[in-house]
């Protein structure tokens, strides 16, 4: 009887905690819906005032006809429809207004972007063709004779979200065996918008865009007629698309922690969004994911605070880690 009583109490505690979390989540996300709509108007006004035009957002669809045109255009560009289907009770209250520009910035840099030397270094070749930043670790020259006419095998490394080529060059490359270093040429890529690679504003950063940039920056310049792919997290999605397009050249593909969501519905991307970024306060990591995934303009505020001031945070981290 005592065991039954304990189990009954635990069950009711779980139910009560679930009710509390769900109720609190509903209230908080309702407030965030309103806040995101307000910042939609704010960013439109300030973008127009500083840059002369407002950047398009995914919550300014005014009628069904425009929505259909947007979805058709997005399907051609492989842009996920979830960007337009993220529910928000206050979506659409934003408005357009023409404001005379006081100052015109470079069309590839926004007022809310960091304009430090590292962040804009890629713009030095803006007049020419944009190229991804690639770190290449060649085979030791002393070992070239051991191949006896055989060409070295190539391995292309693709990082995940919130990362760069240093994910491989600083944590993996130094610990590879000597035998590996003598047989393979390693190419670690900074994907479009990451690390030292270009970050253009006029790009939608679709999978197709990533694949085309890898082709023009890696496959063609380095003449990769045969290569292996190693990818992590978000990079796995790009790796699969790249392997599908170059099936005759890709010898193997290794996926580390790939995103995977099963769904019987047509809109798999929306199912993935609801599962991976459910609108809940608990656990905290899930709340952070939902905050950045569902709220375009609030996410821009976070990026403004963190990314634009990254030198400040880097300085603080160096102090805390004794300049490591």
């Amino acid at each position: 009887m005592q065991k039954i009583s304990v189990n009954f109490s635990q069950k009711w505690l779980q139910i009560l905690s679930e009710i509390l979390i769900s109720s609190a989540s509903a209230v908080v996300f309702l407030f965030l819906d309103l806040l995101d709509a307000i910042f939609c108007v704010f960013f439109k006004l300030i973008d127009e005032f500083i840059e002369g035009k407002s950047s398009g957002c995914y919550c300014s669809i005014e009628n069904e006809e425009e929505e259909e045109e947007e979805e058709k255009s997005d399907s051609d560009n492989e842009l996920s429809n979830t960007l337009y289907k993220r529910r928000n009770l206050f979506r659409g209250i934003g408005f357009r207004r023409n404001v005379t520009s006081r100052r015109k910035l470079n069309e590839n840099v926004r007022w809310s972007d960091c304009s430090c030397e590292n962040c804009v270094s890629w713009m030095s070749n803006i007049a020419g063709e944009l190229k991804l930043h690639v770190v290449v670790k060649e085979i030791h020259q002393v070992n070239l004779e051991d191949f006896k006419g055989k060409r070295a095998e190539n391995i292309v490394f693709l990082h995940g979200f919130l990362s760069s080529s240093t994910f491989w060059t600083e944590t993996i490359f130094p610990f590879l065996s000597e035998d590996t270093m003598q047989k393979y040429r390693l190419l670690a890529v900074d994907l479009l918008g990451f690390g030292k690679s270009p970050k253009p504003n006029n790009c939608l950063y679709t999978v197709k865009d990533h694949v085309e940039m890898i082709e023009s920056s890696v496959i063609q310049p380095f003449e990769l007629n045969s290569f292996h792919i190693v990818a992590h997290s978000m990079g796995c999605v790009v790796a699969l698309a790249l392997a599908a397009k170059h099936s005759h050249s890709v010898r193997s593909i290794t996926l580390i922690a790939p995103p995977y969501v099963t769904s019987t519905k047509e809109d798999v991307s929306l199912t993935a969004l609801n599962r991976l970024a459910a609108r809940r306060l608990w656990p905290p990591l899930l709340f952070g994911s939902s905050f950045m995934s569902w709220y375009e303009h609030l996410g821009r505020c976070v990026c403004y605070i963190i990314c634009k001031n990254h030198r400040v945070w880097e300085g603080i981290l160096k102090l805390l880690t004794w300049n490591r």
Side-chain angles (χ1 to χ4, degrees), residues 276-289:
L276 301 178
R279 290 155 59 102
R280 289 176 60 86
L281 291 177
W282 193 265
L285 185 60
L286 179 60
F287 172 70
S289 299

Side-chain angles (χ1 to χ4, degrees), residues 149-169:
K150 296 181 180 179
R151 299 187 64 180
E153 293 190 54
N154 304 288
I155 306 180
V156 177
F157 291 83
L158 305 179
H159 62 81
F161 190 58
L162 297 179
S163 187
S164 68
S165 57
T166 56
F167 178 81
W168 309 105
T169 59

Side-chain angles (χ1 to χ4, degrees), residues 127-241:
E129 185 179 3
L130 296 179
K131 295 289 185 180
L132 298 178
H133 175 72
V134 185
V135 179
V136 183
K137 196 168 184 61
E138 296 281 1
I139 294 177
H140 302 300
Q141 292 295 323
V142 70
N143 298 315
L144 292 180
E145 297 180 359
D146 297 338
F147 282 92
K148 298 179 181 179
K150 296 181 180 179
R151 299 187 64 180
E153 293 190 54
N154 304 288
I155 306 180
V156 177
F157 291 83
L158 305 179
H159 62 81
F161 190 58
L162 297 179
S163 187
S164 68
S165 57
T166 56
F167 178 81
W168 309 105
T169 59
E170 295 184 4
T171 62
I172 303 296
F173 285 14
F175 304 101
L176 293 175
S177 66
E178 186 63 26
D179 182 63
T180 299
M181 301 307 300
Q182 292 178 5
K183 295 181 179 180
Y184 298 94
R185 178 170 63 166
L186 313 178
L187 302 97
V189 182
D190 278 346
L191 292 174
L192 185 65
F194 295 85
K196 297 181 180 180
S197 286
K199 305 165 183 63
N201 274 342
N202 58 349
C203 177
L204 295 175
Y205 296 89
T206 63
V207 174
K208 181 180 179 181
D209 292 328
H210 284 294
V211 170
E212 290 178 349
M213 286 298 292
I214 293 174
E215 289 173 333
S216 61
S217 304
V218 184
I219 295 179
Q220 296 171 5
F222 293 97
E223 300 180 353
L224 303 186
N225 297 320
S226 174
F227 58 96
H228 305 265
I229 304 177
V230 177
H232 172 248
S233 190
M234 185 198 77
C236 297
V237 178
V238 180
L240 289 172

Side-chain angles (χ1 to χ4, degrees), residues 57-76 79-87 91-92 96 267 270:
C57 62
Y58 299 104
C59 55
S60 58
I61 300 175
E62 299 177 350
N63 50 60
E64 294 182 359
E65 182 178 347
E66 181 179 350
E67 182 176 359
E68 292 177 358
E69 293 179 359
E70 292 284 357
E71 290 184 353
K72 182 179 179 180
S73 174
D74 293 337
S75 62
D76 295 336
L79 191 65
S80 174
N81 286 332
T82 56
L83 293 171
Y84 298 100
K85 294 181 180 179
R86 293 174 293 186
R87 65 179 183 275
R91 170 166 284 193
R96 294 184 176 90
D267 198 339
L270 189 60

